[in-house]
C-alpha cells in the first residue's frame, strides 16, 4: 500500500473510532439531563440521540488528523448538508424538535457561515449565514458537493430559516486522543485512582455494543442507561482493591494453531490421551488466562509478587492432589496410569481459586496450564521422566 493509501486508511479508521468515542462521551453527558435517552449509530446520521419526548439530535462527526479549517465551501460541510437536506426535504425529519449538529475537529474561521451557526445563534446570525451559504453554493464548482449545494439553493427563504434554525456547528472539538480525557472526566467519580483503566474497559465494551449494532443492522436503539450501568459495574470491580475481569470472548487471546503441538503444556495433555475437545479447551483456557493476567500486569493492577503467590498456591494444591492419587499408581499398567493422569487433569480444570477478588474457572485452569508449560506440575504420574525423554 502506498504512503497516501496508508494515510487515507488511517484517517478513515480514526474517523470511525472518533464517531464511536463521541457517541460514548455524549451518552455519558446526556445521562445527567435525559437519562432515558436512546442512541443509534449510523441510522439516519452518524449518531442519533432520541430523548424522552422523541426529540432527535442528529450528529455528524468529522475528524481530521491534521489541523484543518472549516470554510463555507468545505467538502465536509456540504456532504453533511446533503444528508440533512435530503431528510429535510422529504419531510421525514422536519419537526421543530430535531437538532442537527456537526461536530468537527476543524476550526470555523470568524466571519464564515459556520462561525455564525455555533451554539446559541440567533435570527440575525442565521440570516447572515444563509446569505453566505448561498454565495458559496453558487460560486463553488466542486463536483463532490454539487448535490448538496443544489438542494440548499432550492430552499425558499422561510425553509432555509427553518432548516438553519435546527443546525449547530461545534468546531474545534477535542480530537480522538484528547477526547479520552473528557471521557475519564465523566467517570472519575467511580474511582479516581483507576479512572483510566475504567475508561478503557468501558470503551472496549462500548465498541462491542456498537459493532454488534452495525453488523446486525439492528433497528433497536441503545439506551444511554446501559452505559452508566456498565460503567458502575466496571467501577465496582475496583472497589476495595478489586481486579476487573474481561469477558473472555473479548480478550485478544491467541487461538490454537498446529504450532501449539510443540508447547509443553499441550504435550502434557497428549501424554495422558485426553479427548480432542478437552485439549482445545485447555489451549483456550491457557491463552485467555495468560491474556488476562498480562493485561492486569500492563495496567499495573497487580501487587508485588501477587502472580507468583497465586501460582505457588495452585502448585501446592496440585501437589497435594498429585501425591494422594499417585500413591495408587504403583504396579498399574500404562493405560491405568494415563487414566489416573486424566483424573488429575480434570480435577484441575474444574477448580475455582480466586485471584484476589476474581473467581473464574478459566483463569484457574489456564494458570494450571501455565505451570504445566513450565514443568512445575504435570498430569501423568511419570510426567517428568516422560517429558525429559521426549526432549532428549
Amino acid at each position: 500500500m502506498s504512503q497516501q493509501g496508508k494515510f487515507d486508511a488511517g484517517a478513515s479508521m480514526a474517523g470511525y473510532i472518533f464517531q464511536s468515542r463521541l457517541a460514548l462521551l455524549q451518552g455519558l453527558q446526556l445521562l445527567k439531563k435525559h437519562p432515558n435517552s436512546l442512541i443509534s449509530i449510523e441510522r439516519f446520521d452518524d449518531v442519533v440521540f432520541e430523548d424522552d419526548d422523541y426529540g432527535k439530535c442528529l450528529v455528524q462527526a468529522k475528524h481530521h488528523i491534521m489541523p484543518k479549517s472549516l470554510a463555507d465551501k468545505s467538502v465536509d460541510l456540504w456532504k453533511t448538508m446533503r444528508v440533512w437536506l435530503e431528510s429535510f426535504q422529504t419531510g421525514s425529519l422536519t419537526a421543530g424538535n430535531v437538532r442537527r449538529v456537526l461536530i468537527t475537529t476543524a476550526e470555523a474561521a470568524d466571519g464564515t457561515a459556520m462561525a455564525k451557526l455555533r451554539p446559541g445563534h440567533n435570527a440575525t446570525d442565521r440570516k447572515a449565514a444563509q446569505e453566505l451559504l448561498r454565495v458559496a453554493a453558487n460560486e463553488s464548482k466542486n463536483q463532490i458537493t454539487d448535490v448538496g449545494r443544489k438542494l440548499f439553493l432550492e430552499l425558499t427563504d422561510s425553509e432555509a430559516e427553518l432548516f438553519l434554525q435546527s443546525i449547530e456547528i461545534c468546531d474545534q472539538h477535542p480530537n480522538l486522543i484528547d477526547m479520552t480525557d473528557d471521557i475519564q472526566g465523566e467517570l472519575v467519580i467511580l474511582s479516581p485512582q483507576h479512572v483510566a483503566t475504567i475508561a478503557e474497559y468501558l470503551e472496549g465494551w462500548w465498541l462491542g455494543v456498537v459493532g454488534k449494532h452495525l453488523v446486525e443492522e439492528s433497528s433497536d436503539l441503545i439506551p444511554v442507561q446501559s452505559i452508566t450501568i456498565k460503567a458502575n459495574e466496571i467501577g465496582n470491580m475496583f472497589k476495595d482493591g478489586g481486579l476487573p475481569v474481561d469477558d473472555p470472548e473479548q480478550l485478544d487471546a491467541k487461538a490454537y494453531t498446529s504450532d501449539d503441538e510443540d508447547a509443553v503444556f499441550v504435550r502434557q495433555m497428549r501424554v495422558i490421551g485426553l479427548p480432542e475437545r478437552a485439549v482445545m479447551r485447555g489451549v483456550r483456557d491457557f491463552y485467555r488466562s495468560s491474556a488476562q493476567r498480562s493485561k492486569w500486569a500492563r495496567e499495573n493492577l497487580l501487587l508485588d509478587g501477587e502472580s507468583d503467590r497465586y501460582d505457588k498456591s495452585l502448585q501446592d494444591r496440585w501437589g497435594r492432589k498429585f501425591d494422594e492419587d499417585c500413591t495408587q499408581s504403583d504396579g498399574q499398567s500404562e493405560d491405568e496410569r494415563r487414566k489416573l493422569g486424566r483424573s488429575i487433569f480434570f480435577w484441575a480444570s474444574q477448580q475455582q481459586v480466586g485471584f484476589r477478588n476474581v473467581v473464574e474457572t478459566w483463569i484457574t485452569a489456564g494458570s494450571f496450564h501455565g505451570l504445566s508449560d513450565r514443568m512445575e506440575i504435570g498430569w501423568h504420574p511419570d510426567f517428568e521422566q516422560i517429558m525429559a525423554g521426549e526432549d532428549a
Side-chain angles (χ1 to χ4, degrees), residues 244-296:
V245 61
D246 290 77
D247 178 346
E249 296 290 342
Q250 302 300 320
L251 281 167
D252 187 21
K254 178 184 176 299
Y256 169 84
T257 68
S258 58
D259 291 340
D260 289 317
E261 293 298 325
D262 293 329
V264 173
F265 81 100
V266 174
R267 288 157 53 199
Q268 289 231 51
M269 288 190 284
R270 295 297 188 191
V271 163
I272 57 174
L274 286 172
E276 192 66 19
R277 185 168 60 181
V279 173
M280 292 301 104
R281 184 184 297 111
V283 172
R284 185 175 67 242
D285 287 344
F286 172 79
Y287 284 121
R288 286 179 174 179
S289 177
S290 298
Q292 181 68 84
R293 292 178 61 169
S294 294
K295 187 173 183 181
W296 287 335

Side-chain angles (χ1 to χ4, degrees), residues 70-251:
L70 181 66
D72 293 343
K73 296 180 183 179
S74 294
V75 172
D76 274 0
L77 165 64
W78 288 104
K79 287 173 70 175
T80 298
M81 295 283 271
R82 174 181 176 176
V83 173
W84 287 342
L85 284 164
E86 286 176 344
S87 64
F88 180 82
Q89 293 197 331
T90 60
S92 60
L93 291 170
T94 57
N97 60 349
V98 173
R99 291 171 54 231
R100 299 171 173 87
V101 182
L102 172 60
I103 297 179
T104 176
T105 56
E107 179 181 2
D110 291 340
T112 62
M114 296 302 93
K116 296 181 182 301
L117 292 176
R118 288 175 176 144
H121 55 72
N122 56 34
T124 302
D125 295 326
R126 291 192 292 275
K127 182 65 176 176
Q130 180 182 336
E131 293 173 357
L132 289 167
L133 288 171
R134 288 194 186 281
V135 170
N138 278 309
E139 290 181 351
S140 176
K141 304 302 179 184
N142 192 318
Q143 293 298 308
I144 297 176
T145 64
D146 185 61
V147 175
R149 291 184 288 106
K150 285 180 179 178
L151 288 172
F152 183 76
L153 291 172
E154 290 171 2
L155 296 177
T156 65
D157 286 346
S158 59
E159 287 173 335
E161 162 63 20
L162 179 62
F163 176 64
L164 294 179
Q165 189 175 347
S166 72
I167 291 177
E168 289 182 359
I169 305 299
C170 299
D171 62 326
Q172 301 183 73
H173 191 277
N175 64 22
L176 178 62
I177 303 301
D178 294 339
M179 209 185 333
T180 301
D181 293 336
D182 294 335
I183 292 174
Q184 290 180 15
E186 298 294 328
L187 300 171
V188 69
I189 192 172
L190 295 175
S191 174
Q193 181 181 359
H194 299 293
V195 65
T197 305
I198 292 173
E200 181 182 335
Y201 273 81
L202 181 64
E203 186 169 10
W205 164 82
W206 179 245
L207 286 172
V209 171
V210 172
K212 184 177 181 181
H213 185 77
L214 294 176
V215 170
E216 296 181 356
E217 297 183 349
S218 172
S219 60
D220 295 334
L221 297 169
I222 305 169
V224 295
Q225 285 192 9
S226 64
I227 298 175
T228 191
I229 290 171
K230 189 64 180 181
N232 280 302
E233 177 187 317
I234 295 169
N236 286 336
M237 291 191 291
F238 287 91
K239 287 185 177 179
D240 302 320
L243 288 170
V245 61
D246 290 77
D247 178 346
E249 296 290 342
Q250 302 300 320
L251 281 167

